[in-house]
PDB file of all heavy atoms in Angstrom:
ATOM      1  N   ARG A 113      44.942  14.889  -8.601  1.00  0.00           N
ATOM      2  CA  ARG A 113      44.479  13.775  -9.437  1.00  0.00           C
ATOM      3  C   ARG A 113      44.698  14.112 -10.932  1.00  0.00           C
ATOM      4  O   ARG A 113      45.170  13.242 -11.684  1.00  0.00           O
ATOM      5  CB  ARG A 113      43.018  13.516  -9.140  1.00  0.00           C
ATOM      6  CG  ARG A 113      42.764  12.813  -7.822  1.00  0.00           C
ATOM      7  CD  ARG A 113      41.293  12.724  -7.522  1.00  0.00           C
ATOM      8  NE  ARG A 113      41.046  11.892  -6.345  1.00  0.00           N
ATOM      9  CZ  ARG A 113      39.945  11.960  -5.625  1.00  0.00           C
ATOM     10  NH1 ARG A 113      38.991  12.798  -5.947  1.00  0.00           N
ATOM     11  NH2 ARG A 113      39.799  11.210  -4.564  1.00  0.00           N
ATOM     12  N   VAL A 117      48.049  12.002 -10.716  1.00  0.00           N
ATOM     13  CA  VAL A 117      47.475  10.669 -10.778  1.00  0.00           C
ATOM     14  C   VAL A 117      47.057  10.308 -12.184  1.00  0.00           C
ATOM     15  O   VAL A 117      47.269   9.184 -12.688  1.00  0.00           O
ATOM     16  CB  VAL A 117      46.297  10.544  -9.777  1.00  0.00           C
ATOM     17  CG1 VAL A 117      45.650   9.144  -9.898  1.00  0.00           C
ATOM     18  CG2 VAL A 117      46.748  10.844  -8.382  1.00  0.00           C
ATOM     19  N   PHE A 118      46.384  11.273 -12.878  1.00  0.00           N
ATOM     20  CA  PHE A 118      45.826  10.970 -14.195  1.00  0.00           C
ATOM     21  C   PHE A 118      46.730  11.429 -15.353  1.00  0.00           C
ATOM     22  O   PHE A 118      46.277  11.491 -16.481  1.00  0.00           O
ATOM     23  CB  PHE A 118      44.468  11.650 -14.345  1.00  0.00           C
ATOM     24  CG  PHE A 118      43.430  11.161 -13.347  1.00  0.00           C
ATOM     25  CD1 PHE A 118      42.407  12.009 -12.920  1.00  0.00           C
ATOM     26  CD2 PHE A 118      43.467   9.892 -12.833  1.00  0.00           C
ATOM     27  CE1 PHE A 118      41.457  11.569 -12.007  1.00  0.00           C
ATOM     28  CE2 PHE A 118      42.540   9.450 -11.933  1.00  0.00           C
ATOM     29  CZ  PHE A 118      41.524  10.286 -11.520  1.00  0.00           C
ATOM     30  N   ARG A 260      39.730   3.943 -16.740  1.00  0.00           N
ATOM     31  CA  ARG A 260      41.184   4.050 -16.359  1.00  0.00           C
ATOM     32  C   ARG A 260      41.340   4.979 -15.136  1.00  0.00           C
ATOM     33  O   ARG A 260      42.105   4.640 -14.238  1.00  0.00           O
ATOM     34  CB  ARG A 260      41.971   4.563 -17.518  1.00  0.00           C
ATOM     35  CG  ARG A 260      42.192   3.556 -18.603  1.00  0.00           C
ATOM     36  CD  ARG A 260      43.197   4.067 -19.634  1.00  0.00           C
ATOM     37  NE  ARG A 260      43.499   3.054 -20.674  1.00  0.00           N
ATOM     38  CZ  ARG A 260      44.427   3.177 -21.596  1.00  0.00           C
ATOM     39  NH1 ARG A 260      45.152   4.295 -21.634  1.00  0.00           N
ATOM     40  NH2 ARG A 260      44.650   2.221 -22.458  1.00  0.00           N
ATOM     41  N   LYS A 261      40.646   6.111 -15.161  1.00  0.00           N
ATOM     42  CA  LYS A 261      40.737   7.019 -14.023  1.00  0.00           C
ATOM     43  C   LYS A 261      40.266   6.368 -12.737  1.00  0.00           C
ATOM     44  O   LYS A 261      40.901   6.491 -11.684  1.00  0.00           O
ATOM     45  CB  LYS A 261      39.935   8.297 -14.307  1.00  0.00           C
ATOM     46  CG  LYS A 261      40.571   9.253 -15.265  1.00  0.00           C
ATOM     47  CD  LYS A 261      39.739  10.522 -15.414  1.00  0.00           C
ATOM     48  CE  LYS A 261      40.454  11.542 -16.272  1.00  0.00           C
ATOM     49  NZ  LYS A 261      39.671  12.813 -16.394  1.00  0.00           N
ATOM     50  N   ASP A 262      39.155   5.682 -12.819  1.00  0.00           N
ATOM     51  CA  ASP A 262      38.611   4.993 -11.618  1.00  0.00           C
ATOM     52  C   ASP A 262      39.610   3.995 -11.069  1.00  0.00           C
ATOM     53  O   ASP A 262      39.851   3.875  -9.863  1.00  0.00           O
ATOM     54  CB  ASP A 262      37.282   4.312 -11.943  1.00  0.00           C
ATOM     55  CG  ASP A 262      36.166   5.299 -12.175  1.00  0.00           C
ATOM     56  OD1 ASP A 262      36.324   6.504 -11.831  1.00  0.00           O
ATOM     57  OD2 ASP A 262      35.129   4.924 -12.742  1.00  0.00           O
ATOM     58  N   SER A 263      40.192   3.227 -12.013  1.00  0.00           N
ATOM     59  CA  SER A 263      41.146   2.202 -11.614  1.00  0.00           C
ATOM     60  C   SER A 263      42.411   2.774 -11.024  1.00  0.00           C
ATOM     61  O   SER A 263      42.879   2.336  -9.956  1.00  0.00           O
ATOM     62  CB  SER A 263      41.477   1.309 -12.794  1.00  0.00           C
ATOM     63  OG  SER A 263      42.444   0.341 -12.484  1.00  0.00           O
ATOM     64  N   VAL A 264      42.944   3.786 -11.691  1.00  0.00           N
ATOM     65  CA  VAL A 264      44.191   4.418 -11.221  1.00  0.00           C
ATOM     66  C   VAL A 264      43.992   5.103  -9.898  1.00  0.00           C
ATOM     67  O   VAL A 264      44.787   5.017  -8.945  1.00  0.00           O
ATOM     68  CB  VAL A 264      44.756   5.364 -12.292  1.00  0.00           C
ATOM     69  CG1 VAL A 264      45.916   6.179 -11.716  1.00  0.00           C
ATOM     70  CG2 VAL A 264      45.179   4.609 -13.530  1.00  0.00           C
ATOM     71  N   ALA A 265      42.855   5.844  -9.794  1.00  0.00           N
ATOM     72  CA  ALA A 265      42.567   6.567  -8.560  1.00  0.00           C
ATOM     73  C   ALA A 265      42.423   5.622  -7.411  1.00  0.00           C
ATOM     74  O   ALA A 265      42.962   5.859  -6.293  1.00  0.00           O
ATOM     75  CB  ALA A 265      41.316   7.440  -8.715  1.00  0.00           C
ATOM     76  N   ALA A 266      41.704   4.555  -7.629  1.00  0.00           N
ATOM     77  CA  ALA A 266      41.509   3.543  -6.535  1.00  0.00           C
ATOM     78  C   ALA A 266      42.841   2.961  -6.127  1.00  0.00           C
ATOM     79  O   ALA A 266      43.093   2.760  -4.916  1.00  0.00           O
ATOM     80  CB  ALA A 266      40.544   2.436  -7.023  1.00  0.00           C
ATOM     81  N   SER A 267      43.695   2.679  -7.113  1.00  0.00           N
ATOM     82  CA  SER A 267      45.011   2.082  -6.799  1.00  0.00           C
ATOM     83  C   SER A 267      45.881   3.057  -6.013  1.00  0.00           C
ATOM     84  O   SER A 267      46.518   2.681  -5.001  1.00  0.00           O
ATOM     85  CB  SER A 267      45.716   1.700  -8.104  1.00  0.00           C
ATOM     86  OG  SER A 267      47.013   1.228  -7.836  1.00  0.00           O
ATOM     87  N   VAL A 268      45.908   4.327  -6.429  1.00  0.00           N
ATOM     88  CA  VAL A 268      46.717   5.345  -5.738  1.00  0.00           C
ATOM     89  C   VAL A 268      46.191   5.546  -4.300  1.00  0.00           C
ATOM     90  O   VAL A 268      46.969   5.616  -3.350  1.00  0.00           O
ATOM     91  CB  VAL A 268      46.731   6.671  -6.493  1.00  0.00           C
ATOM     92  CG1 VAL A 268      47.362   7.781  -5.663  1.00  0.00           C
ATOM     93  CG2 VAL A 268      47.463   6.503  -7.827  1.00  0.00           C
ATOM     94  N   VAL A 269      44.901   5.676  -4.160  1.00  0.00           N
ATOM     95  CA  VAL A 269      44.306   5.909  -2.828  1.00  0.00           C
ATOM     96  C   VAL A 269      44.595   4.694  -1.933  1.00  0.00           C
ATOM     97  O   VAL A 269      44.988   4.853  -0.785  1.00  0.00           O
ATOM     98  CB  VAL A 269      42.816   6.160  -2.958  1.00  0.00           C
ATOM     99  CG1 VAL A 269      42.178   6.119  -1.569  1.00  0.00           C
ATOM    100  CG2 VAL A 269      42.532   7.492  -3.631  1.00  0.00           C
ATOM    101  N   ASP A 270      44.405   3.523  -2.470  1.00  0.00           N
ATOM    102  CA  ASP A 270      44.658   2.306  -1.694  1.00  0.00           C
ATOM    103  C   ASP A 270      46.130   2.284  -1.192  1.00  0.00           C
ATOM    104  O   ASP A 270      46.399   1.929  -0.046  1.00  0.00           O
ATOM    105  CB  ASP A 270      44.351   1.054  -2.495  1.00  0.00           C
ATOM    106  CG  ASP A 270      42.859   0.836  -2.702  1.00  0.00           C
ATOM    107  OD1 ASP A 270      42.070   1.510  -1.983  1.00  0.00           O
ATOM    108  OD2 ASP A 270      42.485   0.020  -3.539  1.00  0.00           O
TER     109      ASP A 270
END
Side-chain angles (χ1 to χ4, degrees):
R113 286 173 172 158
V117 178
F118 298 151
R260 286 190 175 187
K261 284 185 174 182
D262 291 345
S263 176
V264 170
S267 175
V268 170
V269 170
D270 288 346

